[in-house]
């Protein structure tokens, strides 16, 4: 059996027909007597409503709401998640005269709703009784503004009957769509009783399209007050629906920035009532937005002469005087209001700013603390108190500063250091342990692979300054040396180092014939102290020595095999003008062809390089943890 057979109706997207069938079946299926049957009926009803909403056409919408020139067009506003309304820039949001005061048009607008309501009411006497009381309370303005009357109505047995509550909720929503001028406290009572907030959240688009006027007044008409409605009860003999329409229209036009239309509706409302505080606030806001500060101040001043106990207007007047009165008058007015309303946050904070201007920091702190005592989450008071206490820190005793630091959540240096290392070690101890183990592995890898310690690689032996041949004899093979020489004897030979593990000498002609000229160094014999020292140099250094200029020798010292040393000695004897005769030739020579000292350590092991890279990655992550811990420890 499909949902339409269960409801006993033809397939339709007319939601009112579905609700009517549901209300009829509820009378036969009571939740307490037949809970399973009620559950099946409820599921069927929900499916039918969802189908109708998904398949509704523009023609059906016109038939359902025929004759209603709704001034709350769905495309004129957007809603956010909190239910706040925002008017679209391209849409016009205005109240028409059809809304709320023309009895003939009002009857025409709600005709279809009334027909359906009467059909359901005829089937249920408690519902009929409830709706009759609702009509009676609403149309008696003096009763309408009394919250107690609505509380009594919400205690009606039909409201707490599960089978009737949904029907009453639907009937009341339809009724309030066309009768929506109620005090805020009444709206809150109705909203909580029937849980309309949940219904709005479940299907916001449907709710705002089906009940646009009710939505606006229930969730958005914040300019209205309960006191304002109670004050208007003395004008119950006048056409209050027309007046409330004009007042609401003035507010909506003002919010849309339509100043001329707002002024027109304000003037029309003033023809009925001149001493409505809610209307006065709209008028004041109109002058403020219009740049007419003096007129707004005059309205407040004139109002307070007749109603000097109006707290809201006093506060508004104080705010307006802030920039339009001299300092002494404004301060006097502030203290006068503080005597009347000592717990008003706005006045307490204004007093705090006054004391701050006088550098009376403790008095300012007391005012901020008073506000936070009543409103612990007051953002402006929190920010102002923080500023005041920061100033107090600069001029108080150490004990007072310590107490203020604790109030501000600022810890002592010892506690901050403790918190810093606590946070750091708690989060990064695995990384620290891993880095320590990797360092041990690297030390072991260098020693076992190269035969040299990591320290030798990190701090290699320094260059030795050599001034004599005897100093060369005390060095280890390959030690870096640095020396200065002037002049010398060119041997016309090339010295090649460590070819197949040996050092040998060949003549320049032979080196050139074997194309090894560029791979060898020019062999000179220079004087260092009382010794002659063979050196292998590049062309530039060789030219300096040839021209008897001082040359800098930077390289490594190596021993010469005896046969190579004899070759040099024999070559030297062939020179008649040997300037080094009498200076014994050393068994070490200096390889200075590159002009720099070469490292004698073997290459670092590749695995050690990988471990170093891994340590750098871990260290980067560790530094991020240090920064994070430092930030936390500051607060």
């Amino acid at each position: 059996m499909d949902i339409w057979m269960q409801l006993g109706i033809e397939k339709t997207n007319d939601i009112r027909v579905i609700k009517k069938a549901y209300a009829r079946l509820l009378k036969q299926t009571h939740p307490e007597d037949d809970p399973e049957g009620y559950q099946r009926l409820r599921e069927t009803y929900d499916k039918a409503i969802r189908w109708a909403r998904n398949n509704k056409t523009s023609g059906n919408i016109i038939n359902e709401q025929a004759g209603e020139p709704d001034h709350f067009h769905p495309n004129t506003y957007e809603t956010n998640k909190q239910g706040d309304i925002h008017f679209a820039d391209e849409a016009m949001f205005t109240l028409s005269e059809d809304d709320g005061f023309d009895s003939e048009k009002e009857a025409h607008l709600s005709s279809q709703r009334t027909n359906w309501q009467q059909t359901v009411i005829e089937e249920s006497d408690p519902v009929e009784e409830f709706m009759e009381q609702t009509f009676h309370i609403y149309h008696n303005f003096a009763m309408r503004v009394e919250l107690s009357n609505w509380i009594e109505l919400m205690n009606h047995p039909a409201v707490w009957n599960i089978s009737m509550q949904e029907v009453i909720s639907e009937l009341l929503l339809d009724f309030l769509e066309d009768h929506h001028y109620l005090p805020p406290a009444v709206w809150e009572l109705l909203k909580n009783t029937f849980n309309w907030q949940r219904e709005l959240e479940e299907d916001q688009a449907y709710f705002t399209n089906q009940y646009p006027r009710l939505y606006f007044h229930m969730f958005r008409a914040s300019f209205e007050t309960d006191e304002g409605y109670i004050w208007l009860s003395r004008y119950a003999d006048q056409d209050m629906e027309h007046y409330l329409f004009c007042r609401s229209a003035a507010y909506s036009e003002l919010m849309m920035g339509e100043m001329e239309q707002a002024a027109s509706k304000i003037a029309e409302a003033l023809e009925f009532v001149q001493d409505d505080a809610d209307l006065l606030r709209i008028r004041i806001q109109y002058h403020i937005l219009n740049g007419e500060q003096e007129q707004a101040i005059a309205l407040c001043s004139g109002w307070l002469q007749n109603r000097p106990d109006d707290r809201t207007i006093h506060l508004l007047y104080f705010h307006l005087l802030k920039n339009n009165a001299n300092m002494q008058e404004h301060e006097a007015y502030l203290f006068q209001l503080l005597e009347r309303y000592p717990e008003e946050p706005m006045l307490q904070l204004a007093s705090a700013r006054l004391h701050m201007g006088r550098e009376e920091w403790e008095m300012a702190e007391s005012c901020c603390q008073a506000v936070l005592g009543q409103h612990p989450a007051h953002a402006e008071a929190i920010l102002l108190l923080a500023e005041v206490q920061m100033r107090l820190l600069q001029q108080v005793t150490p004990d007072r500063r310590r107490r203020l630091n604790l109030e501000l959540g600022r810890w002592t240096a010892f506690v901050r250091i403790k918190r810093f290392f606590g946070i750091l070690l708690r989060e990064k101890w695995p990384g620290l342990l891993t880095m320590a183990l990797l360092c041990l592995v690297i030390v072991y890898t260098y020693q076992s692979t190269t035969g040299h310690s990591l320290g030798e690689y990190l701090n290699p032996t320094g260059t030795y300054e050599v001034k004599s041949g005897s100093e060369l004899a005390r060095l280890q093979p390959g030690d870096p040396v640095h020396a200065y020489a002037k002049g010398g004897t060119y041997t016309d030979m090339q010295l090649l180092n460590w070819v197949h593990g040996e050092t040998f000498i060949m003549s320049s002609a032979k080196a050139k014939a074997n194309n090894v000229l560029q791979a060898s160094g020019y062999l000179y014999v220079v004087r260092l102290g009382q010794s002659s020292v063979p050196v292998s140099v590049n062309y530039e250094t060789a030219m300096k020595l040839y021209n008897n200029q001082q040359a800098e020798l930077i390289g490594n010292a190596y021993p010469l095999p005896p046969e190579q040393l004899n070759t040099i000695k024999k070559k030297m004897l062939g020179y008649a003008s040997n300037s080094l005769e009498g200076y014994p030739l050393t068994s070490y020579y200096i390889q200075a062809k590159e002009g720099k000292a070469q490292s004698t350590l073997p290459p670092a092991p590749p695995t050690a390089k990988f471990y170093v890279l891994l340590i750098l990655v871990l260290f980067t992550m560790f530094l991020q943890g240090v920064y994070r811990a430092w930030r936390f420890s500051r607060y």
Side-chain angles (χ1 to χ4, degrees), residues 44 47 64 128 134 234 236 253 288-289 311 373 387 418 457 462 480 485 490 551 560-561 570 587:
T44 300
K47 291 178 181 178
E64 183 181 332
E128 177 184 6
T134 301
R234 65 188 61 194
E253 297 288 1
I288 293 175
L289 293 177
R311 175 175 181 158
E387 182 180 350
K418 183 179 178 181
Y457 282 87
Y490 176 52
L560 274 173
K570 291 179 181 179
S587 60

Side-chain angles (χ1 to χ4, degrees), residues 608-620:
K609 294 180 179 179
F610 172 75
Y611 295 146
V612 170
L613 179 63
L614 188 57
I615 287 178
L616 290 177
V617 173
L618 292 173
F619 186 70
T620 301

Side-chain angles (χ1 to χ4, degrees), residues 297-308:
I297 292 174
L299 280 176
C300 290
S301 178
W303 180 270
L304 292 174
Q305 289 179 6
N306 298 320
R307 293 168 69 174

Side-chain angles (χ1 to χ4, degrees), residues 260-313:
E260 292 184 6
Q261 290 85 336
S264 175
K265 290 302 179 184
I266 290 174
E268 191 173 351
L270 286 172
E271 294 178 2
F272 290 83
V273 179
Q274 292 80 35
D275 56 353
D276 176 13
D278 291 344
L279 179 61
L280 176 70
R281 285 195 297 276
I282 296 176
R283 296 168 63 192
I284 293 172
Q285 187 66 22
Y286 167 81
H287 288 301
I288 293 175
L289 293 177
N290 222 24
E292 300 168 351
Q293 294 287 117
E294 295 297 333
Q295 289 87 331
I297 292 174
L299 280 176
C300 290
S301 178
W303 180 270
L304 292 174
Q305 289 179 6
N306 298 320
R307 293 168 69 174
D309 296 328
D310 193 321
R311 175 175 181 158
T312 303
I313 302 302

Side-chain angles (χ1 to χ4, degrees), residues 328-369:
Q328 292 182 348
E329 291 180 359
H330 193 254
E331 292 179 7
Y333 190 40
L334 171 61
F335 293 131
Q336 177 186 345
L337 292 180
L338 279 172
E339 292 181 2
R340 287 191 176 193
Y341 317 114
E343 297 181 357
E344 174 59 43
M346 186 185 83
L347 298 176
Q348 289 283 1
L349 294 179
S351 178
R353 293 190 187 89
L354 176 62
H355 290 301
M356 289 173 66
R358 297 174 176 176
E359 297 188 358
E360 299 170 351
W361 305 111
E362 293 186 355
M363 294 292 293
E365 181 188 26
S366 176
C367 294
C368 294
Q369 295 284 15

Side-chain angles (χ1 to χ4, degrees), residues 562-616:
E563 61 275 12
Q564 300 294 329
L565 190 63
N566 290 331
T567 301
I568 297 175
K569 288 181 179 179
K570 291 179 181 179
K571 187 70 173 176
M572 295 292 293
L573 292 175
Y575 291 97
S577 59
N578 185 4
S579 61
L580 297 176
E581 188 175 354
Y583 296 95
L585 193 66
T586 64
S587 60
Y588 269 73
Y589 79 98
I590 299 175
Q591 173 55 275
K593 181 191 175 208
E594 302 297 332
K596 59 182 179 180
Q598 302 294 330
S599 174
T600 59
L601 295 173
T607 53
K609 294 180 179 179
F610 172 75
Y611 295 146
V612 170
L613 179 63
L614 188 57
I615 287 178
L616 290 177

Side-chain angles (χ1 to χ4, degrees), residues 14-35:
D14 191 335
I15 294 176
R16 300 192 184 283
V17 174
I18 298 172
K19 291 180 178 179
K20 177 181 177 181
Y22 176 62
R24 183 183 69 252
L25 293 174
L26 272 179
K27 184 177 180 181
Q28 305 169 10
T29 309
H30 197 280
E32 296 179 0
D33 299 333
D34 186 8

Side-chain angles (χ1 to χ4, degrees), residues 19 113 117 131 166-179 187 194 196 199 206-207 210-211 214 218:
K19 291 180 178 179
R113 286 195 179 95
Q117 292 167 3
M131 292 307 299
E166 294 185 30
V167 177
I168 290 176
S169 176
E170 296 292 344
L171 290 172
L172 197 55
L173 284 170
D174 285 336
F175 173 76
L176 294 175
E177 174 63 12
D178 298 320
H179 307 81
W187 281 119
F194 296 101
W196 288 335
E199 186 172 343
Y206 169 77
F207 193 92
Q210 189 75 7
Y211 308 108
L214 180 145
M218 187 189 304

